[in-house]
């Protein structure tokens, strides 16, 4: 989480760890976490794009969120950066990303 947050910040975007602080454009989740999937459903309903990052097998809950990408840990910087940029392009206002 710390490394992914640092990458997002290095790209010039704000990182929000608490969705109560307002809407986000992109949410990065571990789809094996039911809590993360629930948060992503909420964010997706508000227009956020979803990126799944997992160390386990691909979970149906993540696919149901129609993620921009499903990346496996350990995450490589290049593919993660391209995924975040693609996700932000899908939003009209690239302001913040949640990790």
């Amino acid at each position: 989480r710390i490394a992914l947050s640092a990458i997002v910040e290095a790209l010039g975007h704000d990182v929000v760890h608490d969705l109560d602080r307002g809407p986000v454009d992109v949410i990065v989740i571990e789809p094996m976490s039911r809590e993360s999937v629930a948060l992503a459903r909420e964010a997706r309903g508000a227009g956020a794009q979803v990126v799944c990052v997992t160390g386990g097998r691909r979970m149906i809950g993540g696919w149901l969120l129609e993620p921009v990408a499903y990346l496996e840990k350990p995450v490589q910087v290049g593919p993660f950066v391209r995924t975040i940029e693609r996700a932000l392009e899908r939003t009209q206002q690239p302001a913040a990303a949640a990790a």
Side-chain angles (χ1 to χ4, degrees):
R1 182 177 186 174
I2 293 169
L4 298 181
S5 295
I7 293 167
V8 170
E9 288 175 338
L11 293 172
H13 305 289
D14 295 326
V15 173
V16 177
H17 295 284
D18 182 358
L19 293 181
D20 290 336
R21 294 182 58 189
V24 296
D25 295 316
V26 178
I27 184 167
V28 179
I29 66 158
E30 165 56 77
M32 293 188 65
S33 164
R34 288 183 184 176
E35 180 181 332
S36 291
V37 170
L39 289 172
R41 279 192 185 113
E42 180 182 329
R44 183 85 169 118
Q49 297 296 310
V50 177
V51 174
C52 292
V53 175
T54 185
R57 56 192 179 91
R58 296 177 181 207
M59 303 294 291
I60 190 74
W63 285 117
L64 293 175
L65 295 168
E66 300 177 18
V68 172
Y70 218 118
L71 304 173
E72 293 185 22
K73 297 176 189 173
V75 176
Q76 296 181 15
V77 174
F80 181 72
V81 167
R82 287 189 295 276
T83 298
I84 293 298
E85 289 173 344
R86 190 172 18 154
L88 288 169
E89 286 173 5
R90 291 184 181 187
T91 66
Q92 297 300 316
Q93 303 165 7

